[in-house]
Structure formats: C-alpha cells, structure tokens
Amino acid sequence: AQSVTQLGSHVSVSEGALVLLRCNYSSSVPPYLFWYVQYPNQGLQLLLKYTSAATLVKGINGFEAEFKKSETSFHLTKPSAHMSDAAEYFCAVTPGGGGADGLTFGKGTHLIIQP
Amino acid sequence: KAGVTQTPRYLIKTRGQQVTLSCSPISGHRSVSWYQQTPGQGLQFLFEYFSETQRNKGNFPGRFSGRQFSNSRSEMNVSTLELGDSALYLCASSGEADTQYFGPGTRLTVL
C-alpha cells in the first residue's frame, strides 16, 4: 500500500523567495513519484516525475524535486517564486511500472505568493 | 497533440438520478483512469481501464461503474446519485511511460 503526506496545507512565500513544498511517501515497492499543480476550476497539470532514473528531477516552470530514499521524501522546490505560481500542488505516488494502479495523492498544499 | 477531453464540463442532477460522464484520452493512449476530487476526501482513485478491461478499482460502492470502448474513450456512470457524490470527476490517460495526463474535469452537483 502507498500513502503520501504533504506537510502544510497552506504555504505562503514572498515573490522572489524560495518555494519549498514538502512531500513524504510510504510504499512497499519502489515508487514512481509525481508533482501536479491545479489552478482554480482546472484539472491537474504534471510538473515533474521520478521514475527511478536520476534522483534530482527538473520539471516545468523552474520547479525541481529530489528523491531521497533514506528520508522517503520528494520535496518540491523553486528558487524564486512568481505570482503565477499561486495554485494547489499535489504530490502523488504509484508502484513503479505496470500502470494499472491508480495514483495515491497527498491532501495538497495551497501555495500563496505575497507581493 | 490534443489533450484529454471530458464532457460535459458541468452537470447538475438531483438525488436518485443517474449520470454518465465521458472522457477522450490523448491519441495513442490506451489506459484511462478516473478520480473523484472533493474538499473533504481529496483526490481518490475510482478505476482504471486498459484495452476495454478494468484492471483496478478503488474503494467505491458499486453505484460507480465505468467502461472503455475500442477507441479507448471511456465513460463513467454513477447510479442513484447521493448528495455526497457532488465532486469534480477527473479523467487521466496514460501511454507507455506510466505518466498520467489529466483532463479539465466534470463538475457534478447533486441537489
């Protein structure tokens, strides 16, 4: 079974500051990990994914995440926040390979950007 | 390449009715998954179809069902609607790389 914990339902940062959104997972098998972003009244947009290749993963819009097996973490970072980054962010896990298992999502983190 | 499309985008039904939602995957994708998103429960997996076969399902009552057609389009049906079924229903399609790409969702309101 898999589970995802996102620490902080709301995170507020100033424009230009570092963005750090935390995600910890548990999985009985090597996982695939994902970060998605959701803007109001829209579906989920893939930011980046980890599928057992490089542990540091770069995604769209300047975001990146590092897979740390020893810490069971997959935190999302961006060096400099932009107003357009304000949205809901979801971390998700699925057992690696196969494709039949659904994604297990965290509860989400609402990112607020202060001008 | 066109993304995942879902129809309708908004739907209002009354308790006891049934509803059918439609999803067209990205061209070439053979796997379609469905999720329910609510403020209280978050995003929950409903079921996954591949080549017209349901391969996996989440923990939802039998009122929730689905199917997939030979062209990979999928439909989801909810019978005997309850107030708690009000949610955003998201469809995602996946190709060979196990990455799921989501549609815009169907907002279902049950009155």
Side-chain angles (χ1 to χ4, degrees), chain A residues 16-69:
Chain A
L18 172 72
V19 175
L20 170 60
L21 304 183
R22 299 178 186 275
C23 172
N24 288 88
Y25 70 92
S26 70
S27 179
S28 54
V29 298
Y32 283 6
L33 293 156
F34 305 83
W35 276 99
Y36 287 90
V37 62
Q38 186 176 36
Y39 298 98
N41 298 315
Q42 294 188 26
L44 302 177
Q45 180 183 7
L46 178 69
L47 279 176
L48 49 80
K49 62 181 180 181
Y50 166 78
T51 56
S52 76
T55 57
L56 181 61
V57 182
K58 295 187 183 298
I60 62 171
N61 301 337
F63 285 95
E64 64 180 40
E66 186 173 8
F67 173 71
K68 293 186 176 181
K69 184 178 179 180

Side-chain angles (χ1 to χ4, degrees), chain A residues 32 34 36 38 41-46 49 51 88 90 94-107, chain B residues 9-10 31 33 35 37 40-45 48 55-56 88 90 94 97-105 107:
Chain A
Y32 283 6
F34 305 83
Y36 287 90
Q38 186 176 36
N41 298 315
Q42 294 188 26
L44 302 177
Q45 180 183 7
L46 178 69
K49 62 181 180 181
T51 56
E88 191 83 15
F90 293 93
T94 193
D101 299 281
L103 292 166
T104 299
F105 286 89
K107 292 293 188 183
Chain B
R9 291 293 311 279
Y10 301 91
S31 170
S33 300
Y35 295 83
Q37 185 178 25
Q41 299 300 317
L43 282 152
Q44 295 184 284
F45 171 68
E48 188 264 357
R55 296 194 298 183
N56 203 355
L88 180 67
L90 292 163
S94 176
D98 295 333
T99 300
Q100 295 188 25
Y101 297 91
F102 285 80
R107 173 77 61 186

